[in-house]
Amino acid sequence: MKISELSPEYRQPSPHTGFITDLSTVVADVESFDTSTSSPEKLAADFRRILTNLGSVSSSLTDACRIQIWKLATRLWNACVDRANSTTLARGPSARAAEAEIRQAAPELLLLAGVRDEIPLAAAKVANFFFRAGKEWLHLGRVDLATACFEKGTPLVSATGSEEERRVLLDLNLARARAASGAGNQFLAVALLSRSKPLASASPEGIKSLAEAYLSVGEATLSTKPSDPAVQASSILTEALDLCDKLASPSGASPKTPNLNELKGRCFRFLAVERLQANDHEGTLRCIRVSRASIGLAEEHPSMGVLAIRAWLGSGNILEAERELERLMAKPEAPEHMCVMAAEEYLASAGPEAARKVLVALTARCRTGGAAAAVRVVTKVVQGGIGSTGRARAISELVSDERVSALFDGPANTIQRGAMHSLLWSCGAEHFNTKNYGTSADFYERSLLYLSREEESRPRRAQCLRVLTICYLALKQLDRALEFVNEADKVEHNVHCAFLKIKIHLQRNDEEEAIKQMKTMVGCVDFNPEFLVLTTHEAIACKSVQVAVASLTFLLGLYPTEKPMPMAEVVVLRNLIEQLRREQGTEDEILKYSRRAKLRMTDLGVEGFFGNGAVGWRELNWFALSSWNLALRVTEEKKYDLSAEFYELAAEFFGGASNAEGDENRPTVCKALIMSVNSMLKAEEQNNSPLSDSDVKKGVEMLSRAGKLLPSIWPSFPVGSDQAEANNFLFLHTFNSYQLLDRMDTSARPQQLQLVKNFASSKACTPDHLLKFGVAASKGTPPNLLVAEFSLKASINAALASQSPNYRVISTALRNLACLAGLQDLSGSDSDAVYDVYRQAYQIVVGLRDGEYPFEEGQWLAATAWNKSYLSRRLNQPSVARKWMKMGLDLARHLESMKHNIAGMEQCFESFQKMSGSEPDECILLGKKPDECCQQDGAPSTSMSTSRPVLV
């Protein structure tokens, strides 16, 4: 005998002792969950390791080891139950999955240790553990792991075994059916349920469990809608209902059990749902009737009422649907949300006309969620469409009912109140977008009912009031609009209110109030220059030039601040000038802003102020043309001070547009400079105020600049009108230069003469131009006699040299030349120069056709020549007197207008010759008979007629 067999101390330990010890340690760790630091994930990993190790040696496990594993597995299961009931363990997704894995380790260990005969109902116990572990996986949504557990437990029990095994096998089959149904395998689920019928028939509890399983699978089938028509939810639910009937009356009796009634009610309910999904409304109603006859109306689930409402609505019976709705609302156990849902569906078919009645009923029915219910009902009505006037009116009356609005009182309904306001606001916006402003305003006003007067609601209330203002503006109800905007301004004073007031005043043609409100708008904290642009547009639309000018002026005043502006400064100036041009007497204002544009162009450069490219060129060209056209207009109105300024600005703008006075604008710049100086001189004459030295210097500089550009105004090809215009501007340049030289000291007189001579030698010179030079020179202070004599003689010579002489110019030049010669010899005794002028005039008159020489000028020549004899006679110069009388008579004989005076003049002349040194009478040459010429001695005539004096 070996020593190891005699003494236990010397026996060798079992080779599996380490595995058992390891298992015992982990089980103890699971049991001490309240003190252990091991996480569920670590414990699950330990059990996976242990199961792998034991599985590798399962065939060599001794009976003692197997018993030990049974004990440890049982302890583990009990510990898992304790852990599930504990509230101290983590319940996250990963922790719950680990706990389920730990729980499954218990039946896995039992299966590994094998079914022991010495343990009562060992197989049923292991199968039950697998069943419970699988249910845990089902709760976690792991159908695959749950199915695996059920499938491991099913072979351990038999339908021919003990009652306990049969019970466990039934539970496993039903669980497998639910798992298969959850995985979408309805065929397997139905097969497992059919297989379970013999097991369930042994007890009422089994039948009830099977009925519940059928109901569960039928419900899943109803929701998944399998494509195979062989699996019908209705047949599965009918099977469940048959089991309920079998359980309720096993021997012909019909006891009603509350639990059974609840199960039957669910069966009927889902059957009704199935029929409703199939659009079998009559079948749905039939299910509901059978349900109510079977379990009673009092115990009916509230959802059956909803199904009844849907079925009646689907069949078009609105009246029955309304009765079902009333019955549902009268049921105390019906949840509020279910009543609201039913009301929504009813109103979707019944229309908004029934909404008020339904909502009032809901108001009385709902205690805690009345406001939310009202929001949902109104939303449903709105979703049905609010386009028609009748529907919109019904909604408006609905939300304005005091009983409805009272539901939203109190701080607890803040969210619902905001939801209702937003809903009504959206309705108003929808009608506003379609320009249905009356209905839109009605919705906006109703939305105000659901805004609190707390501080946080002030912006929203003010916005609503402003939108109402816009609606009534569109409806031309200006007084109402003003009321709303004033109220909005009290709630929240901002730039929007001020702008709306401006719109109202503009439409009321109250320009002064609009401008006052504009000042208020500019002072608002949230003011943005964009509002001035909008104001300008509104003013232009209302044809209010005064307000448009004021808004643009305000806007223009913001540019020096260098703030971000809605448009360029040049655009503002252009629009401002354009508006001013529409009013009379605004030339001074236009001039001011045109000067500003020119100053900004100088400061910023042409591109910097007007912009680049074609856009900038168009802006600059607009200012140039505007200045030119305004200059022409004020020149016609004889406002020469303004025209001088506008012509100067036009020259500056055209000069900027042509890049240093080049290209196509050179002629226009030249003309503008000349016309500016010309207007300055006319303004001097008009105002009777001499030009200052600075103005004279400025004019000289402008003409000097224009002189360099004069060659550019001549046309490339001779055109009559263009050539005449070019000649005229050359004359104006020369004439204005002469005038400015005349404002300087007398040392400039030689320059004046040379200037006129140079012009006289040019092709642009005409007799009329020279005549104007002569007249101007003779009227100077003092007159420039040299220039006057040269110009007048040159004018006469140039006119006579023409193929068709202008005798109007010639006669005027002769008259002025005669007067000029008279100035040179004030004694009048021996005025050869004056006589030469008359003699030249006589030479011109001789041979002219009647009326070719101007009538008045001919009379003047003859009368003044005749009357000059009076002075000579007084000075006792008979020969001179005879000479002038002879000149007057000769001129009269060649003038048609003097024929009726010739006889009298001849008689007077003969009388004078006879007297031989005596003083002849002066004759009145017009309107007298010849015998009246000399009847009064010493009384000379001083006029040709009573209306025209005679020059002496």
Side-chain angles (χ1 to χ4, degrees):
M1 181 179 292
K2 296 181 180 180
I3 296 176
S4 60
E5 295 175 352
L6 297 175
S7 176
E9 289 82 358
Y10 295 99
R11 293 177 183 173
Q12 293 292 328
S14 172
H16 309 304
T17 304
F19 296 148
I20 300 301
T21 303
D22 191 11
L23 175 60
S24 178
T25 302
V26 178
V27 171
D29 202 2
V30 173
E31 291 175 327
S32 59
F33 60 86
D34 53 347
T35 59
S36 176
T37 58
S38 298
S39 64
E41 291 81 359
K42 180 181 180 304
L43 294 174
D46 290 341
F47 279 113
R48 285 194 297 270
R49 174 178 51 80
I50 291 170
L51 287 171
T52 301
N53 293 336
L54 288 175
S56 63
V57 297
S58 61
S59 60
S60 59
L61 289 174
T62 63
D63 291 341
C65 288
R66 294 178 186 276
I67 295 297
Q68 187 67 24
I69 291 173
W70 262 85
K71 293 179 180 179
L72 292 173
T74 303
R75 285 174 54 193
L76 174 61
W77 183 266
N78 294 332
C80 288
V81 174
D82 293 338
R83 290 171 70 92
N85 295 329
S86 174
T87 58
T88 60
L89 294 178
R91 289 290 184 264
S94 60
R96 291 178 60 190
E99 292 288 346
E101 190 173 354
I102 295 171
R103 180 186 287 267
Q104 185 180 343
E108 295 286 356
L109 287 170
L110 294 177
L111 187 62
L112 189 65
V115 177
R116 306 298 298 175
D117 294 337
E118 60 271 21
I119 300 176
L121 300 174
K125 183 177 292 187
V126 177
N128 190 39
F129 281 3
F130 272 116
F131 167 69
R132 294 174 181 272
K135 287 182 65 176
E136 191 67 25
W137 284 118
L138 275 181
H139 293 157
L140 295 177
R142 295 299 302 272
V143 179
D144 53 340
L145 296 178
T147 301
C149 287
F150 299 147
E151 290 176 352
K152 286 182 180 181
T154 300
L156 299 177
V157 290
S158 172
T160 59
S162 63
E163 182 179 350
E164 183 65 22
E165 288 185 0
R166 290 168 58 84
R167 184 187 63 77
V168 174
L169 180 59
L170 176 61
D171 291 341
L172 286 169
N173 284 343
L174 297 181
R176 287 178 64 191
R178 287 191 176 95
S181 178
N185 193 348
Q186 307 300 334
F187 292 101
L188 178 59
V190 172
L192 289 169
L193 292 176
S194 298
R195 192 185 305 172
S196 302
K197 285 182 178 180
L199 298 173
S201 61
S203 65
E205 291 78 7
I207 295 175
K208 182 178 179 182
S209 298
L210 183 59
E212 290 176 345
Y214 266 109
L215 179 60
S216 176
V217 174
E219 182 180 353
T221 305
L222 189 63
S223 61
T224 56
K225 295 181 180 179
S227 58
D228 195 334
V231 180
Q232 294 290 336
S234 59
S235 61
I236 300 173
L237 293 170
T238 302
E239 191 71 32
L241 194 58
D242 291 342
L243 290 171
C244 290
D245 291 338
K246 180 180 179 181
L247 182 63
S249 55
S251 58
S254 56
K256 292 185 178 180
T257 307
N259 292 336
L260 187 60
N261 284 345
E262 193 274 334
L263 184 60
K264 290 179 67 176
R266 288 178 60 195
C267 292
F268 282 120
R269 191 160 67 249
F270 284 109
L271 278 171
V273 170
E274 190 273 336
R275 288 292 83 204
L276 190 63
Q277 288 183 353
N279 291 325
D280 183 7
H281 302 112
E282 187 59 37
T284 303
L285 294 172
R286 190 163 47 249
C287 289
I288 295 173
R289 293 191 193 100
V290 173
S291 173
R292 290 174 176 174
S294 176
I295 64 175
L297 191 61
E299 298 183 13
E300 181 184 68
H301 193 274
S303 61
M304 289 295 279
V306 178
L307 294 173
I309 292 172
R310 291 175 178 173
W312 285 120
L313 291 175
S315 61
N317 196 330
I318 304 296
L319 184 59
E320 288 295 332
E322 182 180 356
R323 291 173 181 170
E324 285 289 347
L325 180 61
E326 292 175 353
R327 188 181 295 117
L328 177 65
M329 289 188 178
K331 191 182 290 290
E333 60 272 17
E336 291 182 359
H337 74 276
M338 193 173 290
C339 295
V340 175
M341 179 179 64
E344 288 177 321
E345 298 189 10
Y346 168 74
L347 291 174
S349 299
E353 292 75 15
R356 190 170 188 179
K357 178 181 178 181
V358 172
L359 191 51
V360 170
L362 276 177
T363 302
R365 175 66 172 75
C366 299
R367 294 291 179 265
T368 58
V375 172
R376 289 182 58 181
V377 169
V378 176
T379 302
K380 195 66 178 181
V381 175
V382 168
Q383 289 174 349
I386 59 171
S388 65
T389 305
R391 183 177 287 267
R393 187 183 301 110
I395 296 172
S396 177
E397 293 175 355
L398 175 65
V399 298
S400 59
D401 192 288
E402 294 181 356
R403 291 167 292 184
V404 175
S405 59
L407 293 173
F408 294 83
D409 294 338
N413 296 313
T414 301
I415 297 176
Q416 288 75 20
R417 189 163 52 244
M420 180 64 83
H421 170 77
S422 299
L423 180 62
L424 296 175
W425 178 277
S426 300
C427 294
E430 183 175 339
H431 282 279
F432 186 90
N433 293 333
T434 59
K435 298 184 179 181
N436 188 2
Y437 299 112
T439 305
S440 175
D442 190 45
F443 274 115
Y444 284 128
E445 286 193 60
R446 297 298 180 266
S447 71
L448 282 171
L449 297 174
Y450 296 92
L451 279 178
S452 67
R453 296 187 177 272
E454 302 298 329
E455 187 64 28
E456 64 272 7
S457 298
R458 290 175 67 88
R460 191 67 173 167
R461 176 175 290 276
Q463 183 185 16
C464 194
L465 290 168
R466 290 194 298 268
V467 175
L468 279 167
T469 302
I470 296 174
C471 290
Y472 286 111
L473 263 172
L475 294 170
K476 303 299 182 183
Q477 298 181 23
L478 302 182
D479 293 337
R480 192 81 184 275
L482 189 59
E483 290 178 8
F484 277 110
V485 75
N486 286 334
E487 188 64 27
D489 201 21
K490 295 176 184 176
V491 176
E492 184 184 41
H493 175 70
N494 57 18
V495 68
H496 299 279
C497 295
F499 176 70
L500 288 174
K501 290 181 181 180
I502 293 173
K503 286 174 65 73
I504 295 171
H505 291 312
L506 281 172
Q507 293 195 22
R508 297 173 74 175
N509 297 321
D510 193 345
E511 294 184 340
E512 293 184 2
E513 284 298 325
I515 294 174
K516 289 180 182 178
Q517 200 58 233
M518 196 186 309
K519 296 177 181 178
T520 303
M521 181 178 71
V522 173
C524 291
V525 176
D526 57 341
F527 168 74
N528 188 306
E530 186 69 39
F531 282 96
L532 286 174
V533 178
L534 296 175
T535 301
T536 303
H537 291 317
E538 291 291 335
I540 293 174
C542 294
K543 298 181 180 180
S544 176
V545 176
Q546 185 178 355
V547 177
V549 169
S551 62
L552 288 169
T553 305
F554 278 121
L555 184 61
L556 192 62
L558 301 175
Y559 279 88
T561 60
E562 298 183 357
K563 294 180 180 179
M565 301 301 290
M567 63 174 64
E569 184 179 4
V570 64
V571 178
V572 178
L573 282 167
R574 170 167 53 80
N575 283 284
L576 183 55
I577 292 172
E578 183 63 32
Q579 292 301 313
L580 287 170
R581 286 175 60 177
R582 300 181 182 184
E583 292 288 296
Q584 296 293 330
T586 58
E587 291 84 2
D588 291 329
E589 289 293 311
I590 296 174
L591 179 60
K592 179 177 72 172
Y593 294 114
S594 299
R595 284 173 180 167
R596 171 165 176 161
K598 183 253 181 183
L599 180 62
R600 297 293 287 169
M601 180 184 73
T602 304
D603 295 341
L604 303 177
V606 174
E607 292 186 354
F609 178 63
F610 291 103
N612 300 322
V615 174
W617 182 87
R618 283 196 297 269
E619 291 288 356
L620 177 54
N621 196 52
W622 186 92
F623 276 89
L625 289 174
S626 174
S627 300
W628 178 268
N629 293 332
L630 282 166
L632 293 176
R633 192 179 82 183
V634 295
T635 300
E636 291 179 0
E637 297 172 358
K638 296 184 179 181
K639 299 177 182 179
Y640 297 115
D641 288 325
L642 292 172
S643 68
E645 295 274 4
F646 280 119
Y647 278 126
E648 182 182 359
L649 287 171
E652 294 297 330
F653 288 129
F654 278 118
S658 60
N659 191 12
E661 300 170 6
D663 305 328
E664 69 280 359
N665 286 333
R666 290 167 62 91
T668 311
V669 175
C670 178
K671 295 173 184 178
L673 291 170
I674 294 172
M675 293 302 296
S676 178
V677 177
N678 190 61
S679 295
M680 288 172 57
L681 294 170
K682 287 186 177 181
E684 177 192 40
E685 180 181 355
Q686 185 182 57
N687 301 332
N688 196 20
S689 175
L691 292 175
S692 64
D693 293 341
S694 60
D695 289 337
V696 173
K697 182 178 179 182
K698 177 182 175 182
V700 171
E701 292 175 352
M702 293 172 69
L703 290 177
S704 175
R705 180 177 159 196
K708 299 175 183 179
L709 301 173
L710 275 174
S712 65
I713 69 174
W714 265 271
S716 302
F717 301 97
V719 179
S721 59
D722 292 348
Q723 188 66 49
E725 183 184 14
N727 293 345
N728 190 46
F729 274 102
L730 179 59
F731 163 72
L732 284 177
H733 180 268
T734 308
F735 187 77
N736 292 336
S737 299
Y738 176 88
Q739 294 278 64
L740 292 177
L741 288 173
D742 201 34
R743 271 98 180 135
M744 299 179 182
D745 53 22
T746 55
S747 61
R749 293 185 177 277
Q751 298 180 33
Q752 289 179 305
L753 180 60
Q754 187 61 42
L755 186 69
V756 175
K757 286 182 177 180
N758 291 339
F759 177 73
S761 63
S762 67
K763 294 181 180 180
C765 180
T766 64
D768 190 58
H769 291 158
L770 292 171
L771 174 61
K772 291 179 181 178
F773 273 115
V775 173
S778 62
K779 291 182 179 180
T781 51
N784 192 331
L785 301 180
L786 293 177
V787 173
E789 183 179 3
F790 171 81
S791 300
L792 293 171
K793 288 181 177 180
S795 175
I796 294 171
N797 295 334
L800 292 174
S802 174
Q803 293 182 358
S804 55
N806 187 343
Y807 288 102
R808 173 67 60 182
V809 173
I810 293 172
S811 63
T812 306
L814 285 171
R815 177 198 283 252
N816 282 276
L817 189 60
C819 295
L820 185 64
L823 291 175
Q824 294 175 346
D825 187 7
L826 297 178
S827 65
S829 60
D830 189 13
S831 181
D832 292 337
V834 177
Y835 188 78
D836 289 342
V837 173
Y838 279 87
R839 185 169 55 187
Q840 184 181 11
Y842 173 76
Q843 294 172 350
I844 293 171
V845 169
V846 173
L848 291 180
R849 296 189 299 272
D850 291 342
E852 194 170 0
Y853 196 88
F855 174 83
E856 298 85 357
E857 296 298 330
Q859 279 190 331
W860 184 88
L861 280 173
T864 53
W866 180 269
N867 289 336
K868 282 184 182 293
S869 65
Y870 174 74
L871 181 60
S872 301
R873 184 174 53 115
R874 289 294 186 187
L875 296 175
N876 197 20
Q877 297 175 344
S879 60
V880 175
R882 188 179 299 106
K883 178 178 65 173
W884 282 111
M885 292 178 72
K886 181 73 167 58
M887 176 58 69
L889 182 59
D890 291 341
L891 285 170
R893 287 170 178 166
H894 292 280
L895 295 171
E896 182 69 23
S897 59
M898 296 294 293
K899 284 185 177 181
H900 62 282
N901 300 102
I902 294 174
M905 293 173 67
E906 288 177 345
Q907 187 177 9
C908 288
F909 182 66
E910 291 175 0
S911 176
F912 173 72
Q913 286 182 329
K914 290 177 181 180
M915 293 177 67
S916 303
S918 63
E919 297 179 359
D921 293 331
E922 184 65 73
C923 295
I924 302 301
L925 299 181
L926 294 179
K928 290 189 177 183
K929 296 180 180 180
D931 56 354
E932 296 175 345
C933 293
C934 300
Q935 54 184 318
Q936 290 183 355
D937 245 358
S941 173
T942 59
S943 65
M944 296 288 291
S945 68
T946 58
S947 61
R948 184 174 179 85
V950 176
L951 299 177
V952 293

